[in-house]
Amino acid sequence: MSNETLKIIPLGGLGEFGMNCMAIQWKDDIVVIDAGLMFPEDDLLGVDIVVPDITYLLENREKVRGILLTHGHEDHIGGLPRILSQLNVPVYGTEFTLTLLEGKLEEHKLLDDADMIEMLPGESFSLGVFKISPIRVTHSLVDCVALAIRTPVGTIVHTGDFKIDLASPDGKPFDLHSFAELGKEGVLLLLQDSTNCDRTGYTPGELAVKPRLDEIFARTEKRLFFSCFSSSIHRIKLAMDLAHKHGRKVALIGRSMDNASEIAMDLGYINPPQGLIVHSGAIKDLPPEKVCVMISGTQGEPMSALSRAAVDNHKHARIEAGDTVLFSSRVIPGNEKAIYNVIDHLYRRKAKVIHDDGKSGLIHVSGHASQEELRLMINLLRPKFFVPVHGDYRHLTQHIEVATGTGIPGKCVLLEDGEVLELTATSAEKTGKVNSGRILIDSGSTSDVVEDIIIRDRRHLSEAGLVLAIITIDKMSGKLAGPPEIVTRGFAVNEEGMIKDARRIIGQTLEQSSSEEKRDWMLIKEKVRADLKRYIQKNTQRRPMIMPVILEI
């Protein structure tokens, strides 16, 4: 690699959704844009999160000047606890983004040593040779920015996640003017969000959902359970406003919903009227038509508040016949089965379920720009060179077709993780690769890292062994058809006593499960696994792989 060129080095997010991380280097100065995580596919057994391999940054740690965060979604900040434990450099973000990050770092005992610096849209600052200018953009989260980075060879613009919303509910619209000014100055390279590049037209603004949601609030006769992404602060605020308008009290249920709402209220993004929000324990004392429950679990996560409420296993959220459950969210690919399992349980409770029903009016809008907005940005900035970011290979390819259709970028380059793009004022060429890839993290711990699922399984089995719980259940009654069979391999700590206790625990788990839960084998297996794991860790300090198997007869 030449020392007289600007290097663009994606370490994650180009070739997959999530794990966004990009290094920009000029000689001895490196800045990093975002440090996200990715949630694992089903085949990555035992893996909780996936983060980018930052070997290149560690090899050049003395050159890294800081990490710049575009916004606070997990796929942009979720990898920071691990990265900062290895590479403690200053982190720059907006107020809301840094507040979200504080909780993560505190959980990992990294907050005291972290150097977090707030950046404000419109106020530039320098990091090494780079001059950074944050620019206000709109997205499904609040306080999001794009980054204009002035370098020795020209200006780079990284859009972050964005859509063009000129009527943002927080009164902070997309800053078209600043992008137009950058276009007049001249832009060398545009790095643009590819998420919705396959969608024609424009993405509706956040307020586009208000008419349909208002209608749902007006027509709902009993309790309304309102579920959306906990990071959708605009949606939460709108739901609270509509609840107040229609005379309903609001209860917040679910840790993520509670935390995000608390941060948004502390920072002034949500200002509920006095007395609007009630404790979840008060739900049962209020008339059903006076209640709106904001509840987390839109993606059918097995232990989320909504999933538990759907099988009548939540302390406060009791869904009864005639209640309405609204999913104001999209179905993330891969989550379809889990979501429809929850919806099935809701129908069994005789609840009215509203999801993406195709009726007139919107109940959810995307936070990402569609084709016409992407073209508008390219026309405003008029970059010499173009690189699509944030997406699978097919999205990156389609995005280049969209950009090429504008006739503006002199050259479009499709980059993947680890590839190096070298820029001068007049050229852009791929010149090689650096170490990149993914790090698999187990049990949410930054120390329990596995290089590959096969290696992870071998190590797990060799160190802790395997516990296989074979449970035979009578299909008609839902009861045990006989004692569970416990098979262990490589697990030799008081096996006889442990097996006896394991059988007892499985029996207790099934006895304490409702008939509805027993019809959902995925949920039962997760409950059995969690109970056995808790018992074995407490009594043996060992962490075997636990695999429940349910046989119906």
Side-chain angles (χ1 to χ4, degrees), residues 69-71 94 119 121 134-137 143-147 158-160:
L69 303 177
T70 59
H71 66 287
T94 57
M119 59 183 183
I135 305 170
R136 174 81 61 195
V137 297
D143 220 3
C144 306
V145 292
L147 299 168
H158 189 297
T159 65

Side-chain angles (χ1 to χ4, degrees), residues 484-496:
E485 184 178 355
I486 308 296
V487 179
T488 64
R489 293 291 182 269
F491 187 77
V493 180
N494 189 22
E495 282 194 359
E496 186 174 347

Side-chain angles (χ1 to χ4, degrees), residues 86-368:
Q86 299 177 292
L87 183 69
N88 193 11
V89 297
V91 177
Y92 296 78
T94 57
E95 182 183 32
F96 189 87
T97 301
L98 293 183
T99 306
L100 285 177
L101 179 60
E102 279 181 11
K104 292 184 173 299
L105 297 184
E106 188 170 21
E107 184 179 334
H108 289 84
K109 298 179 173 58
L110 295 170
L111 184 58
D112 291 344
D113 295 327
D115 183 12
M116 296 192 294
I117 302 165
E118 184 180 349
M119 59 183 183
L120 298 170
E123 295 190 10
S124 301
F125 59 96
S126 295
L127 280 179
V129 73
F130 303 110
K131 184 180 179 182
I132 317 295
S133 299
I135 305 170
R136 174 81 61 195
V137 297
T138 45
H139 183 44
S140 55
L141 189 63
V142 298
D143 220 3
C144 306
V145 292
L147 299 168
I149 304 175
R150 291 173 172 84
T151 78
V153 294
T155 299
I156 297 171
V157 175
H158 189 297
T159 65
D161 287 355
F162 81 100
K163 68 177 178 181
I164 299 177
D165 190 348
L166 301 179
S168 181
D170 60 3
K172 299 175 181 178
F174 188 93
D175 188 358
L176 274 176
H177 176 74
S178 292
F179 287 105
E181 290 298 313
L182 282 171
K184 292 176 184 177
E185 294 174 21
V187 172
L188 178 67
L189 172 67
L190 172 60
L191 302 154
Q192 192 178 49
D193 173 23
S194 302
T195 306
N196 277 356
C197 67
D198 54 350
R199 296 190 185 185
T200 58
Y202 294 87
T203 301
E206 289 297 313
L207 289 177
V209 300
K210 186 175 182 179
R212 175 82 169 114
L213 296 186
D214 194 7
E215 176 191 347
I216 292 169
F217 270 84
R219 292 187 176 185
T220 298
E221 296 176 354
K222 298 185 71 177
R223 293 185 187 90
L224 174 60
F225 288 80
F226 189 106
S227 189
C228 66
F229 295 118
S230 59
S231 61
S232 298
I233 303 302
H234 296 312
R235 197 74 46 79
I236 294 171
K237 179 183 185 302
L238 178 57
M240 288 186 180
D241 290 345
L242 290 173
H244 179 62
K245 173 183 174 182
H246 293 280
R248 291 178 180 266
K249 299 292 186 181
V250 172
L252 300 168
I253 291 184
R255 189 176 70 167
S256 60
M257 179 69 71
D258 205 25
N259 289 346
S261 300
E262 183 178 352
I263 291 171
M265 286 186 276
D266 287 345
L267 298 181
Y269 287 96
I270 299 176
N271 295 294
Q274 188 72 27
L276 178 68
I277 297 177
V278 298
H279 187 271
S280 53
I283 295 173
K284 63 182 183 299
D285 300 323
L286 293 168
E289 68 276 8
K290 298 295 183 182
V291 175
C292 172
V293 179
M294 305 284 295
I295 189 167
S296 58
T298 64
Q299 300 305 301
E301 302 91 331
M303 299 307 288
S304 68
L306 183 56
S307 292
R308 287 184 287 133
V311 293
D312 200 22
N313 189 27
H314 194 283
K315 184 177 181 181
H316 299 301
R318 305 296 294 270
I319 299 174
E320 299 175 357
D323 289 344
T324 297
V325 182
L326 169 65
F327 289 77
S328 183
S329 60
R330 71 183 180 96
V331 176
I332 295 176
N335 293 344
E336 294 90 348
K337 186 173 182 180
I339 293 170
Y340 289 117
N341 270 345
V342 171
I343 291 175
D344 277 351
H345 288 305
L346 293 172
Y347 274 107
R348 287 192 181 100
R349 310 219 73 75
K350 293 182 170 43
K352 299 175 182 177
V353 181
I354 302 173
H355 54 109
D356 190 9
D357 53 10
K359 293 181 179 178
S360 60
L362 297 166
I363 59 173
H364 174 70
V365 290
S366 173
H368 299 270

